[in-house]
Amino acid sequence: MDGKRAGTGTGSGTPSRRGILAITAFAGLGALAGCGTAHPDDGKGGGGSGSGAGHKPSSSQSPSPSRTRKKRPQLPRGGRELFPEYRLVGYCGLPGAPALGRLGDGDPAERVKEMEKTARKYAEDRKPLPVLELLATVANPSPGPDGTYRTRTPDKTIRRFHELAREQEALLLLNIQPGRSSALDEVKALDDWLEHADVGVALDPEWDMGPGQTPGDTYGRISGGELNDVSDHLAGIVDDHDLPDKPLVFHQVADSVVEDEKKMRPAKGVPLIKSADGIGSPGLKRGTWRQLVDGMPDGVHTGFKLFYEEDAETSRLMKPKEVLALRPKPEYVMYE
């Protein structure tokens, strides 16, 4: 292989770049604790701006007797339905591992401010809604103590990025690379965070390994039925807590990483977003797009991924107007 993912997204093997990123991610997670403790607010509950897992309101904080009805939870910039009101634009990453995306390169607070400007370039006829796509479960090249070939990002790091998202009125997407764990189990491990109205899920099926497979050596895969299971689980959370739309993104680098795609069915309150994930020139990326969206199931929304470094290595980064010229027009644009 040539060290990059094919722009057409047709290969069944994994280029060496994926193994490098897996190792980088594994090394980056070792620095997460230090990254978190460098910010004194990481240990706080965050007040009303997103306390996160394990931080429930004190029992002494009872509602005012004058309140007769609690306001229904809203999306970060208002309303309860994502589409067609908003266009999502975000950065992906992990602090301490800049090779994994823009969000982990430099000061996260500065990246969030930059992301707002980027989102406005894509707004067009919709309202911009920035997204922080944080790697919450990262595939590893080694099995670890439980043999799952994955590491979970500490709660204090998720809390820090949830607070950053709230400061910017943005969505937080928790990205999951399951390793040999299951996607549904990893989503369930994040349930406390998913009870928030501004937190959704992104899945990376290429890192969803079967028995005997090692992250970085080959592409993993997920089935339409498994995606439905995750979608149904999120729909249950939405219903239980009367939440607004909670997005479920799945990044697709090749046809092979999603099996039985026709079996996918949207669940109430859970917009399903298929994100075309391929590296290369604008022409190659358009080819990947056409291949992946052709015959897409009804009710599935579209996403498109851009790579600041890899796309520019052999060509150039696509401009917003070029991305918006794709058909169907992407409803989520993510930069890695």
Side-chain angles (χ1 to χ4, degrees), residues 63 67-80 169 197 241-244:
R67 295 180 183 175
T68 58
R69 188 174 182 179
K70 185 178 180 181
K71 184 178 179 181
R72 300 181 76 191
Q74 303 283 303
L75 292 166
R77 300 195 175 187
R80 290 175 56 85
E169 294 183 317
H241 299 277
D242 190 26
L243 299 177

Side-chain angles (χ1 to χ4, degrees), residues 178-185 187 203 205 208-210 220-234 248 250 257-261 263-265 272:
R180 288 194 197 170
S181 181
S182 77
L184 183 58
D185 284 348
V187 170
L203 299 177
D208 195 333
M209 300 289 115
R221 62 188 61 194
I222 197 169
S223 69
E226 289 173 297
L227 284 169
N228 289 339
D229 290 342
V230 173
S231 186
D232 289 343
H233 179 72
L234 294 179
L248 171 58
F250 62 100
V257 304
V258 180
E259 297 179 325
D260 301 323
E261 185 174 316
K263 293 184 179 179
M264 291 190 305
R265 45 174 174 73
L272 190 59

Side-chain angles (χ1 to χ4, degrees), residues 131-168:
V131 174
L132 284 70
E133 190 169 319
L134 177 70
L135 299 181
T137 305
V138 183
N140 303 159
S142 57
D146 59 359
T148 58
Y149 287 82
R150 63 97 179 97
T151 301
R152 292 172 177 168
T153 298
D155 271 348
K156 62 183 176 182
T157 302
I158 298 176
R159 185 176 305 115
R160 178 187 172 199
F161 279 82
H162 190 209
E163 291 169 357
L164 285 172
R166 291 219 163 165
E167 289 170 7
Q168 196 64 40

Side-chain angles (χ1 to χ4, degrees), residues 280-294:
S281 67
L284 285 173
K285 292 177 79 73
R286 290 187 191 100
T288 301
W289 175 261
R290 287 190 295 269
Q291 178 179 329
L292 292 178
V293 303
D294 183 41

Side-chain angles (χ1 to χ4, degrees), residues 111-123:
R111 294 288 77 77
V112 171
K113 293 177 182 178
E114 177 186 299
M115 185 178 62
E116 175 72 40
K117 297 178 182 178
T118 303
R120 291 175 186 169
K121 296 177 182 178
Y122 284 93

Side-chain angles (χ1 to χ4, degrees), residues 54-139:
H55 289 262
K56 305 294 184 183
S58 169
S59 58
S60 63
Q61 296 176 336
S62 58
S64 168
S66 62
R67 295 180 183 175
T68 58
R69 188 174 182 179
K70 185 178 180 181
K71 184 178 179 181
R72 300 181 76 191
Q74 303 283 303
L75 292 166
R77 300 195 175 187
R80 290 175 56 85
E81 294 184 0
L82 279 172
F83 306 120
E85 185 79 5
Y86 293 101
R87 177 163 289 107
L88 281 52
V89 180
Y91 288 172
C92 180
L94 180 75
L100 293 184
R102 188 73 164 183
L103 196 59
D105 186 7
D107 181 4
E110 290 303 314
R111 294 288 77 77
V112 171
K113 293 177 182 178
E114 177 186 299
M115 185 178 62
E116 175 72 40
K117 297 178 182 178
T118 303
R120 291 175 186 169
K121 296 177 182 178
Y122 284 93
E124 208 172 55
D125 57 342
R126 298 190 181 189
K127 295 178 182 177
L129 182 54
V131 174
L132 284 70
E133 190 169 319
L134 177 70
L135 299 181
T137 305
V138 183

Side-chain angles (χ1 to χ4, degrees), residues 184-207:
L184 183 58
D185 284 348
E186 294 308 308
V187 170
K188 288 180 176 179
L190 296 166
D191 275 357
D192 283 345
W193 292 105
L194 295 169
E195 291 177 7
H196 293 284
D198 53 359
V199 180
V201 170
L203 299 177
D204 256 328
E206 65 181 287
W207 300 101

